[in-house]
Amino acid sequence: MRTALRTLIRDVRVFDGAQAVACADVLVVGDRIAEPDGRPADVEVDGTGRTLLPGLIDAHTHTFDGSLAQALMFGVTTELDMFCLPPNLARQRTLAAARDDIADLRSAGVLATAPGGHPSGVIAAIAPMLERSEDADGPFETITHPEDAAAFVAARIAEGSDYLKVVIDEGATGRAPVPTLCPDTVKALADAARAAGLRTIAHAVTAKETAIALDAGVDGLAHIWADTAPGDPAADELAERAAAQGVFVISAIVNYEVSGGGSPDRVANARHVAGALRRAGVPLLAGTDANPFAPLHGDGLHRELELLTQTGLSPQEALAAGTSIPARHFGLADRGRIAPGLRADLLLVDGDPTRDITATRAITNVWRRGVSQSP
């Protein structure tokens, strides 16, 4: 039996997922973080002038071939996928389990939407651009009536979904209206998911749609809504409702910035809403809506962290939004923090991102399950 590799990262600033320690030694034994024990290490890494972070977690992606490898290059060690058809999901899960040179994966699998509803038009458009069109092409199961909710959730569990995503989208941000789920069906889905032990995350991009999601009792929102301008009291009212109900929100501001619908007003609105959510005490999770085109996997999350600091979060709060907070709200108890016994999913950067968030881009090494990605 092979002895586990011992790697000691010496004299390094540590952001442990919640707070910073000015100088510490961090020991990795095999695929786990361990207490330094004074014994010789097989590999020593000088951390002087550098900061060690938990591996980043992107709380909203869409994963295709190559996505997980690209994510890891940028220090994203886990992606939380929000829509993945069964053939693609099975393949990505197999790859993530077998390899340490790509990010790990959790997924909603097939999302819940109305026939012809979002994102049917989007995936039909991108399917011809993908190497494997079955990864994004239909048909996929949709839902119309509340009484079908339990069966829909059971089918997702059978396919291996880790949580349920529900689409509430009337097409207000697109070029034309699209069919959407009625409020009763959204509530039935949230109730069925809860009964089955799954979290429910709602896709809602307007204040009206967000209110429907909150009425239904969802656990989280996959987007910040972006149609309430600064000065509109609806932003604070919805934020206070979300806080009272214990709902978390995935930011995905960068998606508004790069998407076709991402006008400067929408970006400004999203930043304003993020500030309202923070003031209300709503947990913010850093996510990007990364896909095969833009935002880019991995790279997009660094931009998202920058955008979060522009909404009023401190650099340390933004770092928590990309590490410990998504781990906690998605039940990933083995990652998102630096502590003995947890997975050695780690990111080492030059400089101090707890003061200057842009330093997250100055990557010197990434470890996934204790395996160094340094050439």
Side-chain angles (χ1 to χ4, degrees), residues 134-146:
E134 73 270 17
D135 291 347
D137 204 1
F140 61 90
E141 186 177 355
T142 57
I143 180 170
T144 304
H145 303 294

Side-chain angles (χ1 to χ4, degrees), residues 84-163:
C84 205
L85 292 183
N88 183 33
L89 177 55
R91 188 169 66 256
Q92 304 304 331
R93 282 194 188 282
T94 298
L95 291 170
R99 293 170 51 180
D100 289 317
D101 60 346
I102 64 175
D104 201 5
L105 175 71
R106 298 292 185 277
S107 180
V110 174
L111 47 68
T113 193
H118 179 84
S120 301
V122 175
I123 63 172
I126 69 170
M129 307 177 198
L130 299 175
E131 183 176 346
R132 300 172 187 258
S133 63
E134 73 270 17
D135 291 347
D137 204 1
F140 61 90
E141 186 177 355
T142 57
I143 180 170
T144 304
H145 303 294
E147 54 266 32
D148 298 327
F152 185 93
V153 170
R156 305 291 74 77
I157 292 173
E159 291 169 353
S161 295
D162 298 292
Y163 36 86

Side-chain angles (χ1 to χ4, degrees), residues 68-76 101 298 302 347 363 366 373:
L68 298 177
Q70 183 179 26
L72 194 65
M73 288 173 54
F74 288 92
V76 174
D101 60 346
H302 293 275
L347 169 61
I363 296 170
V366 179
Q373 307 302 310

Side-chain angles (χ1 to χ4, degrees), residues 7-10 12 14 24-28 33-34 36 52 338 346:
T7 300
L8 182 66
I9 306 165
R10 295 185 290 100
V12 68
V14 175
D25 293 344
V26 175
L27 177 66
V28 174
I33 300 166
L52 189 68
I338 297 178
L346 301 167

Side-chain angles (χ1 to χ4, degrees), residues 21 34 37 45 84 98-99 102 136 158 179 193 232 241 258 270 302 318 345:
V21 177
D37 55 13
V45 177
C84 205
R99 293 170 51 180
I102 64 175
D232 186 337
R241 277 197 64 191
V258 304
H302 293 275
D345 289 355

Side-chain angles (χ1 to χ4, degrees), residues 35-275:
E35 288 277 10
D37 55 13
R39 294 167 51 196
D42 302 301
V43 177
E44 289 198 6
V45 177
D46 184 3
T48 305
R50 296 171 172 171
T51 303
L52 189 68
L53 312 165
L56 300 176
I57 300 173
D58 190 332
H60 186 154
T61 72
H62 298 283
T63 305
F64 297 89
D65 287 340
S67 300
L68 298 177
Q70 183 179 26
L72 194 65
M73 288 173 54
F74 288 92
V76 174
T77 54
T78 302
E79 286 201 348
L80 303 178
D81 175 89
M82 289 293 162
F83 176 46
C84 205
L85 292 183
N88 183 33
L89 177 55
R91 188 169 66 256
Q92 304 304 331
R93 282 194 188 282
T94 298
L95 291 170
R99 293 170 51 180
D100 289 317
D101 60 346
I102 64 175
D104 201 5
L105 175 71
R106 298 292 185 277
S107 180
V110 174
L111 47 68
T113 193
H118 179 84
S120 301
V122 175
I123 63 172
I126 69 170
M129 307 177 198
L130 299 175
E131 183 176 346
R132 300 172 187 258
S133 63
E134 73 270 17
D135 291 347
D137 204 1
F140 61 90
E141 186 177 355
T142 57
I143 180 170
T144 304
H145 303 294
E147 54 266 32
D148 298 327
F152 185 93
V153 170
R156 305 291 74 77
I157 292 173
E159 291 169 353
S161 295
D162 298 292
Y163 36 86
L164 179 70
K165 183 181 178 186
V166 178
V167 174
I168 312 165
D169 191 332
E170 298 177 341
T173 62
R175 296 180 179 178
V178 295
T180 193
L181 299 174
C182 72
D184 286 347
T185 301
V186 176
K187 186 177 189 310
L189 284 163
D191 290 345
R194 186 174 300 107
L198 294 187
R199 294 167 178 81
T200 300
I201 296 90
H203 165 108
V205 293
T206 68
K208 176 185 175 183
E209 294 160 358
T210 299
I212 292 171
L214 295 177
D215 289 344
V218 302
D219 298 290
L221 300 173
H223 294 272
I224 286 174
W225 68 94
D227 65 334
T228 52
D232 186 337
D236 291 312
E237 291 167 5
L238 277 176
E240 290 166 5
R241 277 197 64 191
Q245 293 180 216
V247 171
F248 63 82
V249 179
I250 301 168
S251 53
I253 303 170
V254 68
N255 184 58
Y256 290 126
E257 187 175 63
V258 304
S259 68
S263 70
D265 286 345
R266 291 185 65 76
V267 175
N269 290 351
R271 288 167 56 179
H272 167 68
V273 171

